Amino acid sequence: MSEEMQDKYIRFDWAIKRLLRQKANFDVLEGFLTVFLGEKVTVDEILESEGNQQAADDKFNRVDIKAKNSKGEIIIIEIQNTRELYYLERILYGVVKAITEHISLGERYYQVKKIYSISILYFDIGQGDDYLYHGQNTFIGVHTKDQLRISTKEKDAIVTRMPSEIFPEYILIRVNQFNEVATTPLEEWMEYLKNGIIRSDTNAPGLGEAREKLKYYSMSAQDRNAYDEHLSAIMIQNDVLDSAKLEGLMEGRAEGRAEGRAEGIAEGFRKRSLEIARNLKAMGLAPEAIIQATKLTTEEIARL
């Protein structure tokens, strides 16, 4: 049996929550960012993200990892396993929040740091043939079609900058859309994100390090158990959503109104979530895992 078949690698979404926050593993994270941002990236530190939530109902706050690179720029990486309404609004909110959090009161606007928002999506966000999309702000002449350059004063000199040098950049990685034979570093990373495969002869930045540091069987038995529960929770959550969509759409069509469809989906999702949570609780699964799988609150689970 080949080494590729024997080795089993931890999914990137798990690694980014647990392992890639450790400085010893920054090389894996730096390789990922280097490939997807198209320039050499060195991570200086991992910044606070989930811990700085300001309100209990701040549902847009979830960020898997937030880092600062060697140029002082902020990089937000968020992984979404299942569909969420208004996802574009959510990543916009995350970027705006990062800007306001990392500029102190009284500082000048030119001290605002460039921000990159990278979304790794395991669901279909819309229509499009590519697996990688990039967006940034540009100002195009309505008649001349040229790009506007902004003049700014920097260190007693007048310099011109493109708006894209200042405004955030957004990268959407549509994992399930990737169906290529991996021959480039970008394609090798996509293959790992989708299928968990890392070639033994890989030269892609970060993947060689991932082969050594993200092996499933290198984890402790406790961590492997938690990881397996994580995968089960994702499968359950996808099942919940698929069932809710079907039940909700059927109820919505019966009503014949847009609001009926929306209410039907929401009600179907809730009923299915409660049913699954009740079964998981009876099986003795930890409340934290049930919350992750069903998105119910602690109070709702306690009442079951």
Side-chain angles (χ1 to χ4, degrees):
M1 184 179 291
S2 67
E3 185 180 357
E4 288 89 337
M5 293 296 291
Q6 291 175 353
D7 289 338
K8 179 179 178 181
Y9 299 101
I10 304 165
R11 275 175 51 128
F12 195 65
D13 61 336
W14 173 266
I16 213 167
K17 292 175 184 293
R18 302 294 184 95
L19 302 176
L20 301 187
R21 299 174 187 273
Q22 303 168 10
K23 196 170 184 65
N25 297 330
F26 278 6
D27 47 6
V28 178
L29 183 60
E30 289 169 350
F32 166 79
L33 295 172
T34 293
V35 169
F36 281 91
L37 293 181
E39 62 176 305
K40 175 64 177 174
V41 174
T42 302
V43 175
D44 273 1
E45 61 178 316
I46 302 299
L47 302 170
E48 228 182 309
S49 53
E50 293 171 293
N52 52 28
Q53 185 166 317
Q54 294 180 2
D57 60 350
D58 191 354
K59 297 178 182 178
F60 289 88
N61 192 66
R62 189 188 70 79
V63 170
D64 290 295
I65 202 165
K66 185 162 63 175
K68 186 176 75 174
N69 68 13
S70 57
K71 294 188 287 186
E73 299 165 332
I74 296 171
I75 302 170
I76 295 172
I77 305 171
E78 185 166 1
I79 296 177
Q80 186 71 15
N81 283 300
T82 53
R83 173 176 292 280
E84 178 167 323
L85 293 176
Y86 311 116
Y87 186 74
L88 291 180
E89 289 85 346
R90 186 171 109 176
I91 62 176
L92 173 62
Y93 178 92
V95 166
V96 172
K97 188 167 185 179
I99 292 173
T100 57
E101 284 174 350
H102 294 280
I103 182 168
S104 302
L105 186 66
E107 289 184 336
R108 300 192 178 187
Y109 289 126
Y110 71 79
Q111 293 174 294
V112 170
K113 300 299 183 183
K114 168 89 174 195
I115 293 185
Y116 297 90
S117 172
I118 303 174
S119 296
I120 304 174
L121 307 174
Y122 286 87
F123 68 95
D124 187 9
I125 196 172
Q127 297 181 353
D129 297 328
D130 211 329
Y131 58 83
L132 185 65
Y133 285 85
H134 174 245
Q136 61 185 144
N137 293 77
T138 56
F139 295 91
I140 308 297
V142 174
H143 303 99
T144 61
K145 306 304 178 186
D146 66 316
Q147 290 193 33
L148 179 68
R149 292 176 176 269
I150 306 297
S151 297
T152 61
K153 186 175 182 180
E154 190 172 285
K155 295 181 180 179
D156 298 323
I158 301 296
V159 298
T160 59
R161 285 184 177 177
M162 300 298 292
S164 58
E165 297 177 58
I166 302 167
F167 283 91
E169 293 187 38
Y170 301 89
I171 295 173
L172 303 180
I173 303 171
R174 301 170 71 210
V175 176
N176 295 335
Q177 192 70 19
F178 177 75
N179 295 300
E180 308 293 332
V181 176
T183 58
T184 67
L186 176 61
E187 291 167 347
E188 286 189 46
W189 263 100
M190 290 299 304
E191 187 172 47
Y192 166 54
L193 292 176
K194 183 174 182 179
N195 301 315
I197 295 173
I198 304 177
R199 291 169 40 175
S200 59
D201 61 346
T202 183
N203 291 314
L207 283 184
E209 292 81 359
R211 275 181 60 85
E212 298 303 316
K213 298 179 178 181
L214 303 185
K215 287 183 179 178
Y216 174 80
Y217 291 106
S218 295
M219 290 194 293
S220 67
Q222 181 180 2
D223 285 343
R224 282 203 303 271
N225 182 61
Y227 174 69
D228 291 339
E229 284 192 0
H230 166 73
L231 296 185
S232 296
I234 290 174
M235 293 176 64
I236 291 168
Q237 189 175 347
N238 281 323
D239 178 61
V240 169
L241 286 171
D242 289 341
S243 298
K245 286 176 192 174
L246 179 60
E247 294 171 15
L249 284 172
M250 290 175 65
E251 292 179 25
R253 288 195 185 107
E255 292 291 330
R257 300 191 305 271
E259 61 268 25
R261 287 197 298 272
E263 291 172 5
I265 290 172
E267 182 61 24
F269 178 83
R270 177 172 172 75
K271 287 180 179 177
R272 184 68 172 145
S273 296
L274 289 169
E275 177 186 346
I276 289 177
R278 192 175 292 109
N279 292 335
L280 293 177
K281 189 174 182 179
M283 292 167 57
L285 198 65
E288 294 77 11
I290 300 176
I291 292 170
Q292 184 180 20
T294 62
K295 301 303 182 185
L296 295 174
T297 66
T298 304
E299 293 74 19
E300 288 173 319
I301 293 171
R303 287 197 297 268
L304 294 175

